[in-house]
Amino acid sequence: MRITCPLCGERDRREFTYRGAALDAPAADDGAEAWHSHVHLRQNPAGPLEEWWHHQQGCGSWIRVRRNTVSHVMLASALAKPEDADGGST
């Protein structure tokens, strides 16, 4: 699988670390039930999905990737913004 880093270009997926689906997290004070749902009760969709990838063995950037989970085709990639779940740093 190949991932396009917006800074480095197309690279092998082994240069990256997968963080998971790019989901909107509950607010810190939303309570245990909201966090339980967010962490344990997620959908597992087949098809396009937004994901976090870290270019660990490259430029070190956090990238938001849109990937088809059935075919693994990369549909889009962009650098994470600070407001995007704090850039994937957690």
Side-chain angles (χ1 to χ4, degrees):
M1 189 165 66
R2 309 281 293 172
I3 299 173
T4 300
C5 173
L7 299 178
C8 303
E10 188 176 284
R11 298 288 193 257
D12 188 89
R13 95 122 216 94
R14 290 175 288 190
E15 289 188 16
F16 297 82
T17 302
Y18 176 73
R19 176 177 177 221
L23 304 172
D24 292 331
D29 60 351
D30 275 351
E33 189 168 326
W35 279 98
H36 169 74
S37 179
H38 173 72
V39 172
H40 300 288
L41 304 177
R42 291 190 240 152
Q43 297 294 315
N44 188 16
L49 180 68
E50 298 278 331
E51 301 174 321
W52 291 117
W53 289 82
H54 180 230
H55 197 180
Q56 183 176 4
Q57 295 184 21
C59 64
S61 295
W62 279 98
I63 301 168
R64 191 172 179 136
V65 172
R66 185 164 178 80
R67 178 176 69 92
N68 185 314
T69 61
V70 175
S71 65
H72 300 294
V73 170
M74 297 295 169
L75 304 170
S77 64
L79 288 175
K81 299 177 209 157
E83 62 269 17
D84 289 340
D86 67 27
S89 64
T90 56

